[in-house]
Amino acid sequence: MKRIKIFAPATVANLSCGFDVLGCCLDTVGDEMIISITSEPGVRITKLEGADLPLETKKNVAGVAVEALLDNYSEKVGVDIEIFKKIKAGSGIGSSAASSAGAVWAVNHLLDNPFTNHKLIEFAMEGEKLASGNAHADNVAPALLGGFTLVRSYKPLDVIKLHTPQDLVMTVIHPQIEVKTSDSRSVIKQKVTLKQAIHQWGNVGGLISGLFTEDYDLIGRSLEDVIIEPMRSILIPEFQNVKNAAIARGALGCGISGSGPSIFSLCKGMEAANNVANAIEEVYAKTGLEFDIHVSKINSEGIKIIE
């Protein structure tokens, strides 16, 4: 039996202006998984702790993603998966993506890497399709590649790893309410005006340029969403007050993490990130809702072996 234990990181998708195409990888919060290659063919979820999720392979995102990989592998092998969830389902920081991406990355490693990480994105997307009904890559791509990523195209799939400035730190608040991805997608209008589109793709270009040139002011100016955030923010208590407090305390920008309810603030430096954490904690302490706050550097490596 070949066995590996990994850290599968949380991710922040969309980054305000890049709905379904931009994402980045966190360093201090993520799931742990133990993956084993066995002689008995088939994929089995043998243990799942930390969340009430299905053990049945075809109903579990990790199981479905690994099955997609094995369908493209030349030999018959068996895979046992143990999942220790540290990312809450429905949190908006890539819970399903961590399981999907972590599982295929670990299996690929144990099989001596027959597939590139870019190819693994396609397999992990099958898990995302199961979770939300949409095979999006904006969470699984940064989990597998690390840092910031751009999905330039879905057909054909073309994912680009972007530059990660060293000083960027992410502060994320996760209110303890569940916003299902399917529900948050249902509030999105299917048509946008040309004016909105021009505004949005200008911000996407600005954000990518800001990352490569390490122009923090440009990064901040580009973290603006005129299409999705106005509709989704109504699902998140105190969103605007959190955003105002984060910007006032030094955040470069602030927005909805993935489909919510988590809210991210991108900051320059750890001091600013901690100041923002204190500010948004003050806002949420008045709500009576439970919440978690994560402060994390950007993880440029992605999934890691821990044992």
Side-chain angles (χ1 to χ4, degrees):
M1 180 185 291
K2 297 173 71 175
R3 176 183 178 276
I4 191 174
K5 186 175 183 180
I6 63 160
F7 170 79
T11 47
V12 172
N14 300 340
L15 297 172
S16 293
C17 56
F19 178 68
D20 271 8
V21 298
L22 287 174
C24 70
C25 187
L26 302 183
D27 196 46
T28 58
V29 57
D31 293 343
E32 294 179 2
M33 306 178 76
I34 297 174
I35 311 292
S36 305
I37 301 296
T38 70
S39 57
E40 182 184 350
V43 180
R44 293 162 293 276
I45 314 296
T46 59
K47 181 181 289 188
L48 204 165
E49 296 182 359
D52 183 18
L53 295 169
L55 285 167
E56 185 179 338
T57 301
K58 292 191 179 298
K59 293 182 179 180
N60 185 287
V61 297
V64 168
V66 171
E67 285 189 330
L69 182 153
L70 294 182
D71 286 344
N72 288 266
Y73 187 61
S74 58
E75 300 175 26
K76 294 288 185 183
V77 298
V79 176
D80 288 353
I81 303 172
E82 299 177 41
I83 305 171
F84 304 90
K85 295 297 294 181
K86 307 295 178 69
I87 310 170
K88 293 182 174 66
S91 61
I93 52 174
S95 179
S96 60
S99 295
S100 302
V104 296
W105 188 94
V107 170
N108 192 54
H109 181 86
L110 291 170
L111 296 177
D112 297 322
N113 298 305
F115 302 105
T116 66
N117 280 352
H118 280 82
K119 185 65 177 176
L120 295 181
I121 293 170
E122 295 182 29
F123 305 142
M125 285 170 65
E126 291 302 310
E128 294 289 70
K129 184 177 180 180
L130 175 66
S132 68
N134 182 53
H136 57 96
D138 50 345
N139 288 103
V140 295
L144 285 161
L145 303 181
F148 289 85
T149 57
L150 166 71
V151 184
R152 190 204 64 80
S153 167
Y154 274 94
K155 291 183 179 181
L157 186 65
D158 185 6
V159 179
I160 301 162
K161 182 169 180 176
L162 307 174
H163 178 67
T164 300
Q166 290 291 315
D167 289 341
L168 286 181
V169 183
M170 192 72 83
T171 300
V172 179
I173 181 167
H174 171 214
Q176 298 298 303
I177 61 172
E178 184 176 358
V179 176
K180 293 183 178 179
T181 302
S182 55
D183 292 339
S184 66
R185 283 186 176 273
S186 69
V187 303
I188 298 172
K189 294 178 181 178
Q190 295 304 303
K191 293 182 179 181
V192 299
T193 66
L194 180 59
K195 182 179 180 180
Q196 288 174 312
I198 292 169
H199 196 135
Q200 198 85 339
W201 64 52
N203 280 328
V204 173
L207 178 55
I208 292 171
S209 177
L211 291 173
F212 276 101
T213 59
E214 302 198 1
D215 184 334
Y216 294 95
D217 288 338
L218 177 56
I219 291 170
R221 295 199 306 274
S222 303
L223 287 170
E224 179 190 21
D225 179 4
V226 298
I227 296 175
I228 307 298
E229 184 179 296
M231 290 174 280
R232 281 187 167 173
S233 60
I234 62 174
L235 302 175
I236 304 171
E238 297 295 322
F239 173 79
Q240 195 58 51
N241 287 334
V242 166
K243 186 171 184 175
N244 292 343
I247 298 298
R249 292 293 285 271
L252 299 172
C254 180
I256 302 170
S257 178
S259 58
S262 287
I263 306 167
F264 79 87
S265 300
L266 194 58
C267 307
K268 181 182 180 182
M270 189 60 73
E271 182 178 355
N274 285 324
N275 287 338
V276 167
N278 291 334
I280 60 181
E281 182 177 4
E282 289 174 11
V283 172
Y284 251 83
K286 301 172 185 176
T287 65
L289 294 171
E290 294 186 7
F291 59 90
D292 294 323
I293 293 180
H294 309 289
V295 177
S296 174
K297 290 185 176 180
I298 306 301
N299 173 358
S300 58
E301 181 182 353
I303 299 160
K304 306 172 186 179
I305 298 172
I306 54 177
E307 216 176 90

